[in-house]
Amino acid sequence: PVIVYYSALGIGYKLVEIILIQKLTFFLADPIFSVSVVITSMLVLSGLGSLYSQKIPENKIKNFIKMAMVILAGVLLFYAFGLWPLLKPLLGLPLFLKVVLVIIVLAPGAFIMGIPFPTGLSYLGKKQANLLPWAWGMNGALSVSGSILARLVSIHLGFSTVLVFAIILYALVAWLFPRN
């Protein structure tokens, strides 16, 4: 369960990040802007989620992770099917406003995506500290693989399918959390 949990987090995060970069390239009018804004926003906002995760009382962690993953599923469904209808009428905005809007749209998902990794590490450190290197290793290795997987799956099945796959991975995270 530990290996699958951290692998799912690594792949899931990259799937979302890569697809959002691709989906937002047209809106931001340049792939470099899209990469810069999405990666920076997701890292900062995920870091804030990570920081927030330290405040979760230990007796509420399991339920919190499950609730957060349900909310994340809703956010990812929005990214898959509602993002373009929201952004399309705003294509004429100045770049600065587009960047601000993208950051606001990314905030809920990225913030929540920052919570399960450090929370899981903290929980794992107390229960099975000998598995911490495996958690780090699998997460890192599958993050790299996730970016390639996102590209391949999106070419054949579309961006929305990749985000649905990410939802499945985050559901797996919610289910596995108490087992790691």
Side-chain angles (χ1 to χ4, degrees), residues 18-179:
I18 296 299
I19 293 308
L20 287 174
I21 288 169
Q22 292 178 345
K23 281 183 147 261
L24 292 168
T25 295
F26 185 70
F27 181 68
L28 294 173
D30 190 316
I32 303 226
F33 292 150
S34 184
V35 167
S36 302
V37 171
V38 171
I39 291 176
T40 302
S41 300
M42 286 191 67
L43 286 175
V44 169
L45 293 162
S46 294
L48 292 173
S50 235
L51 191 61
Y52 176 78
S53 72
Q54 297 172 357
K55 299 177 190 249
I56 304 167
E58 193 171 330
N59 63 338
K60 296 184 179 183
I61 289 174
K62 290 179 185 180
N63 288 334
F64 186 87
I65 291 293
K66 289 179 182 183
M67 178 188 68
M69 295 305 99
V70 168
I71 293 168
L72 181 58
V75 171
L76 295 180
L77 280 172
F78 168 74
Y79 292 162
F81 303 106
L83 187 58
W84 185 244
L86 170 73
L87 297 179
K88 185 178 178 185
L90 305 173
L91 280 170
L93 289 175
L95 180 61
F96 174 77
L97 290 178
K98 288 180 179 180
V99 169
V100 170
L101 182 60
V102 165
I103 293 169
I104 291 168
V105 168
L106 295 180
F111 182 86
I112 293 170
M113 289 168 64
I115 294 172
F117 184 75
T119 306
L121 287 177
S122 174
Y123 191 78
L124 184 62
K126 293 173 186 164
K127 304 291 182 187
Q128 295 176 295
N130 62 317
L131 294 176
L132 284 170
W134 280 101
W136 279 99
M138 295 311 294
N139 182 267
L142 276 289
S143 290
V144 173
S145 304
S147 48
I148 296 164
L149 183 65
R151 183 85 169 126
L152 291 174
V153 174
S154 68
I155 288 169
H156 296 290
L157 302 173
F159 297 153
S160 297
T161 303
V162 175
L163 289 172
V164 170
F165 184 55
I167 292 168
I168 293 166
L169 288 169
Y170 280 107
L172 184 61
V173 164
W175 182 71
L176 286 173
F177 181 80
R179 291 160 181 78

